[in-house]
Amino acid sequence: MSPVAAISTSQEALAKPYVVKKCIGLLQACATSIFKLKQVHAFSIRHGASISNPELGKHLIFFSVALSSPMSYAHSIFAQLESPNIFAWNTLIRGYAESSDPRPAVEVHEQMRALGIEPDSHTYPFLLKAVGKLMNVRVCEKVHCEVVRNGYASLVFVQNAMVHVYAACGFAESAHKLFVLMPERGLVAWNSVINGFALNGSPEEAMKLYTEMGVEDCKPDGFTIVSLLSASAELGALALGRRVHMYMVKVGLTTNLQAANALIDLYAKCGSIREARRVFDEMEERTVVSWTSLIVGLALNGFGLQALSLFQELENKKLVPSEITFVGALYACSHCGMVDKGFEYFKRMKEEFCIIPNIEHYGCMVDLLGRAGLVKDAYNYIEDMPIPPNAVIWRMLLGACAIHKNLAIGEIARAQLQLLEPGYSGDYVLISNLYASERRWSDVHKVRRKMVRDGVRKSPGHSYVELGNSVHEFVMGDKSHVRSDEIYKMLEEIKKVLKVQGYVPHTENVHADVQEEEKEDALNYHSEKIAIAFALISTPLKTPIRVVKNLRVCGDCHLAIKLISKVYDREIVVRDRSRFHHFNEGSCSCKDYW
């Protein structure tokens, strides 16, 4: 090597640390966009600073992730590092955890462990965030074991992450067990476990934890409020939801957009659609989610025309409806019998808004045809669907067959359900009722014997009403309530008063081979009638009554409740398995179409 070349190489070696320092300074000062980040990256290459330098590499990766650049770019830089330190590994895991595809975060962690690189306290929160998004409880348990083994289980932010992941994976009980063991429980932990119960079918536990939260003097935030409102909506607990609303007003959370949207959903799901509309009207800012919540709420409550009118307002505001907005519109058409209008919305959704229909949209269309009595058309529609029909769609068809007495197609739907979900009790009941309507009693007995052989138990119908801070539940013929004598006395009074109004029991709704008098007694003691009788003796005159029922309201109860609303001058809101019925002055919001 010539003396000149030697001097040049020596100067370049001295220059590189300076260039690395210069590039790091530029990144910290100027890297405000991907474009500028790449400019600094190019500068480092031009001036001979190797990306394999761990200091420069980790900064490039950090800013690449912080600026949400494609993870392929960050990973390509990472791959060039000679000996990436734990900071670089954690940054890469964090980047994938916060991306739309978190799966590589787990793979990077496994690669890190295979190379013998020990995780630190920052590794697990990022990794667990990815696992939570993947909702893979097996990976969660594996990481949990590793956390305990490596001595990081006592760190608060790791504990918070573990509680969140178990809740996100649907294991609310496991999340709660960890939560109980935490020596310090902050708002993050409370929110995770409350939300876990709220989203996983245990709203009562969510509300109980909220009460405990108050005892421990931990103040809820917007995220807590959304979880509580979701739990209240699931329970149909309007009084509890109103208490949460009052708290929102008190602490100034009414301007929280997510909480306000959840409040609309609560009132709509509790049948208080006027309050849902009031919340919507008072919102300073509304997103498509806000409009969709009210559109779906109006449709669920039987106000289909108002739902479609609101859909038109949304379009007038130049907002773009989402796929869920169209579910609301199709649902409104289905429950109002507007078949042509429903097909028009379905066509617009595909052609005008380029939304690819999913199984829920197709379900709405089957429901639309089935409710209108076009059972054969509904069956043909299912046969022509571009995606395989699921059990819900076949069940909609079977329900339509039961209502419109189409035994041939009903048996086809039942056969499909036996393949997809053979143990669902409601399917046995529907086909049994269909046979009973045709007076094919031997087939009814065959279905019931098969239920016994298959170990399938019929879900008993139950109804409940909320009174103060208590929920009172009733089943058919229920005499377990402490006020049972008063309730049955009121039932007898209702029976007499309705007969004066010309009420004749619809005994065809009783699908059993028994005497007419027995059928009338069975109808009189349906759970929703018992719940309404209890509400009539327990609430002031003219107070609205709200009942939640787990099954479809039968035709006889529907007729009787219309007359009760007129005779006793009460607004009665009944939420059954699929929709709300608003009874007032002798009529129902469903216009007898449900």
Side-chain angles (χ1 to χ4, degrees), residues 29 56 102 195 230 238 265 337 512 516 519 536 538:
L56 177 57
N195 193 52
S230 298
L238 184 59
D265 188 58
E516 194 72 13
K519 290 184 178 183
L536 286 171
S538 306

Side-chain angles (χ1 to χ4, degrees), residues 120-399:
D120 66 5
S121 59
H122 297 287
T123 308
Y124 294 111
F126 297 143
L127 179 61
L128 288 167
K129 184 174 184 176
V131 176
K133 289 171 78 173
L134 290 169
M135 293 192 290
N136 188 326
V137 73
R138 296 290 164 256
V139 176
C140 174
E141 289 170 341
K142 185 178 177 182
V143 174
H144 189 179
C145 291
E146 189 179 307
V147 164
V148 173
R149 190 167 59 247
N150 290 347
Y152 294 113
S154 61
L155 298 176
V156 172
F157 46 87
V158 173
Q159 291 172 342
N160 285 339
M162 289 302 312
V163 170
H164 169 74
V165 173
Y166 276 115
C169 290
F171 288 77
E173 290 291 345
S174 298
H176 186 244
K177 286 177 183 177
L178 285 176
F179 174 80
V180 169
L181 294 172
M182 289 176 68
E184 295 179 30
R185 297 189 291 237
L187 182 59
V188 172
W190 282 101
N191 281 347
S192 293
V193 74
I194 288 172
N195 193 52
F197 278 125
L199 293 179
N200 291 293
S202 302
E204 297 93 341
E205 283 79 359
M207 301 306 295
K208 183 181 175 184
L209 276 167
Y210 171 58
T211 305
E212 292 176 16
M213 187 180 184
V215 172
E216 294 200 16
D217 200 29
C218 184
K219 294 181 179 179
D221 64 359
F223 190 88
T224 326
I225 295 300
V226 170
S227 299
L228 293 171
L229 291 172
S230 298
S232 300
E234 185 68 25
L235 283 170
L238 184 59
L240 290 170
R242 281 179 175 148
R243 280 170 53 196
V244 177
H245 189 181
M246 288 172 62
Y247 178 82
M248 287 172 63
V249 173
K250 181 180 175 182
V251 299
L253 276 171
T254 51
T255 55
N256 183 296
L257 188 57
Q258 286 72 32
N261 289 339
L263 197 57
I264 294 171
D265 188 58
L266 161 81
Y267 283 129
K269 286 182 176 175
C270 290
S272 188
I273 200 65
R274 283 191 293 270
E275 288 179 271
R277 181 80 208 215
R278 190 179 303 119
V279 172
F280 177 84
D281 290 338
E282 290 174 357
M283 290 174 71
E284 294 177 7
E285 179 190 357
R286 301 186 194 109
T287 63
V288 170
V289 174
S290 316
W291 288 83
T292 299
S293 297
L294 189 55
I295 288 168
V296 172
L298 286 163
L300 275 171
N301 280 273
F303 302 106
L305 294 176
Q306 291 94 318
L308 297 179
S309 176
L310 196 67
F311 188 100
Q312 184 61 55
E313 284 184 49
L314 177 149
E315 290 193 272
N316 292 342
K317 297 280 185 184
K318 307 300 180 187
L319 293 170
V320 179
S322 69
E323 58 183 38
I324 302 172
T325 319
F326 274 102
V327 168
L330 294 173
Y331 193 95
C333 293
S334 172
H335 284 262
C336 292
M338 296 186 288
V339 176
D340 292 340
K341 195 74 175 173
F343 274 90
E344 181 186 319
Y345 275 107
F346 191 80
K347 183 179 179 182
R348 287 188 64 205
M349 178 182 73
K350 292 193 297 180
E351 296 180 2
E352 190 177 331
F353 294 94
C354 300
I355 295 173
I356 299 171
N358 60 33
I359 197 72
E360 203 166 357
H361 297 113
Y362 285 110
C364 286
M365 300 307 290
V366 172
D367 193 47
L368 174 72
L369 292 165
R371 285 181 188 278
L374 303 171
V375 177
K376 177 68 175 174
D377 291 336
Y379 173 63
N380 290 337
Y381 190 88
I382 293 172
E383 290 288 283
D384 293 337
M385 278 170 50
I387 55 177
N390 60 11
V392 174
I393 285 180
W394 285 112
R395 195 163 291 127
M396 284 177 179
L397 183 64
L398 179 57

Side-chain angles (χ1 to χ4, degrees), residues 519-570:
K519 290 184 178 183
E520 288 188 19
D521 285 341
L523 290 172
N524 198 44
Y525 302 134
H526 275 191
S527 64
E528 57 266 56
K529 287 178 181 170
I530 299 174
I532 289 169
F534 168 71
L536 286 171
I537 64 173
S538 306
T539 57
L541 296 173
K542 299 193 175 182
T543 304
I545 295 171
R546 288 182 170 81
V547 177
V548 177
K549 181 177 171 65
N550 68 324
L551 302 177
R552 183 179 184 271
V553 173
C554 75
D556 178 76
C557 286
H558 195 269
L559 172 62
I561 299 168
K562 282 199 297 183
L563 292 171
I564 293 169
S565 73
K566 178 183 175 182
V567 172
Y568 292 92
D569 193 18
R570 296 284 191 116

Side-chain angles (χ1 to χ4, degrees), residues 48 194 200 427 446 504 591:
I194 288 172
N200 291 293
D427 301 334
K446 283 179 185 175
V504 178
K591 305 290 189 294

